[in-house]
Amino acid sequence: MPKKSVKAITVRSLINFVLVGALAIMVITAVGFRWVSHMIIKDKAIDISKVVIAGLTSHMKAGIMDSRDYFLSEILSLEEVRSMRVIRGPYVAAQFGYGKEQEQAQDALATSVFATGEPRFIERELAKQPYIRAIIPYVATSKGSLNCIMCHIVPENTVLGAVDIEIDLTAYRNLALKIIAAILFLSVVFIALIIINTFGTIDKYIAQPLGSLISNAREAYIHKDNLNPEAYESAEFETVAKEFNLLNTEILANQEELKLMNRQLINLNDEIEDTLRETVFTMGIIEEKRSKETRNHTLRVTKYSNLMATALELSVKDIDLITSASPLHDVGKIGIPDAILLKPGKLTAEEYEIMKNHTEIGHAMLEHSQRDILKAAAIIAQQHHEKWDGSGYPQGLKGEEIHIFGRIVAVADVFDALVSSRVYKQSWSTEDIIECFKKESGRHFDPALVEIFLTYSNKFKEIYENNK
Ligand SMILES: [Fe+2]
Ligand SMILES: [Fe+2]
């Protein structure tokens, strides 16, 4: 799953944060507004009831109680007053009668006010046209300008009646909804502004410097250079640039050290391989001396083998292996008794069989090695007397069953034997050798190698002449 960008993470967190904040503000505003508007409405109801009572008292004092409906209808026409009635209490009813129908208590709520003397408020907010109903009692008092006791024969503080009034809440509710809508709108605008501003800040102070830091760091690493911490505006990026420089310096120092160590290792390895090659060659010389082979036979076989492997376009590794390993082709002769190995005359059939063992002896001496050179030498020691037509020894391998190293050394070994003069034989001429090799192509020798020999016969001769 792809990871979120810094922008996406920031926006999500900001939106959550601001939305919760806006929601909290809206709830607080709504609750506060409701509380304040209800207080205002209740105060308004109390004030209107006071005006009504004062008005009625003045009508009474002036003896124009019969005209009170004009006054009351004016009060009713006030904005937000949905309905209003003045209810006579039991004492007033007993003294002046129950009055008009609208002056009688309509429900238990109104009656309850006479019992307690406390105002009652009923809120109807969920109605289509919301309102608050207030039932405000008026109590007999002899204090102040409204001396009730003058007209009403009742004890002080007796509830004379009540003003039952309904005040419309619609205007307040609509105002509250408008305020909440405004808060919502401002919150959305606020979030949008914060997001735009945050995106700008992230781009300027994070995304752009980060992009430039990455590309500059890559360049600095390639060119073994340092970053310029001053180029970054924020403290954090300056610190990262400084840390990068420290790390880069350390890496470069380590690289130099590693290069040096690597060079030392390569030198050491070369030395080990050279030592092994020299040791192998020396072993070949030791065998050559013991067998009283023609002088430099080992060196020449090595050179012919190298010539053929190169002409055959073997891999560099294989050319190196055959060149290094061919000196050991006859190392098994170490295990052949002197009486046979150094016998001046022709070997008997039995002696010849013993002599043939030098291939398996050489192979057995070398086969356990884990070194590539010695493993190649084991193959050569075993297979250099095999023949292409399968008539060779010790295994009678045929054609490409014989390893290419074995086939090459076979040509090299025979050529050197023919071209060298021995006590019992003259050196063969190049022409005779060429004839012989042509005849033996596909019999003793690999035809492809005979072709190479024919192409490079002069070079073979040259190697012999230069290393006699
Ligand atoms: Fe041999
Ligand atoms: Fe040989």
Side-chain angles (χ1 to χ4, degrees):
M1 192 178 160
K3 292 194 173 173
K4 289 192 174 72
S5 66
V6 173
K7 276 186 185 174
I9 294 168
T10 312
V11 166
R12 199 178 61 178
S13 132
L14 270 177
I15 287 180
N16 288 346
F17 183 72
V18 179
L19 272 185
V20 168
L23 197 67
I25 291 171
M26 280 189 284
V27 169
I28 291 167
T29 307
V31 171
F33 192 87
R34 177 185 176 277
W35 184 77
V36 170
S37 60
H38 284 208
M39 286 281 291
I40 292 169
I41 298 284
K42 286 172 186 174
D43 280 351
K44 187 179 260 186
I46 292 168
D47 288 345
I48 291 173
S49 74
K50 283 178 182 170
V51 169
V52 169
I53 290 161
L56 289 179
T57 306
S58 61
H59 275 68
M60 196 172 220
K61 282 180 177 174
I64 52 168
M65 251 332 235
D66 291 345
S67 308
R68 63 185 183 278
D69 286 347
Y70 296 113
F71 165 68
L72 292 175
S73 68
E74 285 302 315
I75 298 288
L76 253 175
S77 69
L78 285 175
E79 204 182 346
E80 295 168 7
V81 176
R82 265 166 56 107
S83 70
M84 190 204 67
R85 60 170 68 217
V86 179
I87 307 165
R88 292 189 175 194
Y91 284 97
V92 176
Q95 189 178 354
F96 298 108
Y98 284 102
K100 298 171 183 170
E101 191 190 340
Q102 68 266 30
E103 290 175 337
Q104 294 166 20
Q106 297 293 308
D107 53 22
L109 277 171
T111 317
S112 71
V113 171
F114 296 125
T116 61
E118 294 296 328
R120 289 286 302 268
F121 298 97
I122 299 98
E123 289 150 350
R124 292 281 181 265
E125 293 167 273
L126 300 176
K128 196 174 174 187
Q129 282 187 304
Y131 64 92
I132 289 181
R133 179 183 173 194
I135 306 162
I136 317 289
Y138 63 93
V139 179
T141 175
S142 56
K143 300 178 186 85
S145 58
L146 298 176
N147 188 348
C148 306
I149 310 299
M150 280 172 63
C151 301
H152 296 289
I153 311 159
V154 290
E156 183 89 4
N157 295 329
T158 301
V159 178
L160 297 173
V163 178
D164 188 348
I165 185 168
E166 286 178 1
I167 309 284
D168 196 352
L169 272 177
T170 309
Y172 290 90
R173 185 174 70 176
N174 291 344
L175 185 60
L177 289 175
K178 279 180 190 165
I179 289 172
I180 287 169
I183 291 173
L184 196 61
F185 172 74
L186 286 175
S187 299
V188 170
V189 172
F190 188 55
I191 290 172
L193 288 176
I194 286 181
I195 288 172
I196 291 167
N197 182 56
T198 308
F199 274 14
T201 309
I202 289 173
D203 273 339
K204 189 176 175 191
Y205 294 101
I206 297 177
Q208 287 171 11
L210 191 61
S212 106
L213 184 72
I214 290 169
S215 63
N216 290 346
R218 196 175 290 132
E219 287 294 309
Y221 178 75
I222 291 169
H223 298 109
K224 299 182 170 35
D225 203 357
N226 272 339
L227 291 175
N228 175 18
E230 299 299 321
Y232 300 95
E233 237 177 288
S234 67
E236 288 84 351
F237 278 99
E238 191 187 49
T239 308
V240 171
K242 283 179 182 170
E243 286 298 319
F244 170 84
N245 287 345
L246 289 175
L247 204 62
N248 201 25
T249 310
E250 211 169 300
I251 287 171
L252 289 174
N254 286 342
Q255 267 182 355
E256 287 307 313
E257 200 179 327
L258 280 174
K259 273 185 193 165
L260 184 69
M261 284 166 72
N262 201 32
R263 268 199 298 274
Q264 287 172 341
L265 277 175
I266 289 170
N267 291 342
L268 196 63
N269 196 47
D270 286 350
E271 205 176 313
I272 290 169
E273 287 192 355
D274 287 349
T275 307
L276 183 61
R277 275 191 208 99
E278 259 188 63
T279 308
V280 165
F281 188 74
T282 306
M283 283 164 68
I285 298 293
I286 292 168
E287 177 277 318
E288 180 184 295
K289 295 292 174 200
R290 181 172 176 261
S291 322
K292 301 215 171 356
E293 265 288 359
T294 323
R295 187 172 165 271
N296 283 344
H297 167 70
T298 303
L299 177 63
R300 289 191 302 270
V301 166
T302 303
K303 288 184 180 286
Y304 305 137
S305 300
N306 175 271
L307 172 64
M308 276 187 282
T310 309
L312 256 183
E313 295 181 349
L314 294 188
S315 68
V316 174
K317 189 183 175 204
D318 280 348
I319 294 172
D320 184 55
L321 279 177
I322 192 171
T323 310
S324 303
S326 56
L328 290 186
H329 67 279
D330 273 337
V331 74
K333 285 185 180 172
I334 288 173
I336 305 298
D338 283 359
I340 296 170
L341 186 67
L342 304 176
K343 186 177 175 183
K346 206 169 182 296
L347 298 177
T348 64
E350 197 183 331
E351 286 167 341
Y352 185 57
E353 283 307 310
I354 294 170
M355 186 63 170
K356 279 158 74 177
N357 278 340
H358 78 277
T359 51
E360 291 294 20
I361 295 169
H363 179 251
M365 283 166 66
L366 301 164
E367 70 172 335
H368 302 294
S369 173
Q370 296 300 311
R371 308 294 308 178
D372 286 346
I373 291 178
L374 296 181
K375 281 199 271 187
I379 293 169
I380 293 169
Q382 188 180 35
Q383 297 184 5
H384 71 284
H385 286 291
E386 296 288 358
K387 294 184 179 176
W388 183 259
D389 62 4
S391 63
Y393 64 88
Q395 293 170 286
L397 298 176
K398 243 184 191 174
E400 291 190 355
E401 288 172 2
I402 309 162
H403 195 285
I404 186 65
F405 293 173
R407 282 180 268 154
I408 289 174
V409 174
V411 172
D413 198 27
V414 171
F415 172 79
D416 199 66
L418 295 178
V419 83
S420 305
S421 57
R422 307 254 170 126
V423 195
Y424 51 88
K425 84 171 222 341
Q426 288 289 308
S427 163
W428 283 37
S429 69
T430 310
E431 293 71 30
D432 287 346
I433 297 172
I434 288 173
E435 275 313 302
C436 168
F437 271 50
K438 279 183 181 170
K439 216 170 76 189
E440 291 299 322
S441 175
R443 290 158 77 177
H444 190 156
F445 305 121
D446 177 351
L449 293 180
V450 171
E451 283 304 312
I452 287 174
F453 170 74
L454 296 176
T455 310
Y456 294 97
S457 57
N458 286 341
K459 288 223 171 213
F460 273 71
K461 184 73 178 168
E462 198 179 302
I463 291 171
Y464 173 71
E465 294 298 337
N466 291 341
N467 297 282
K468 278 201 280 192

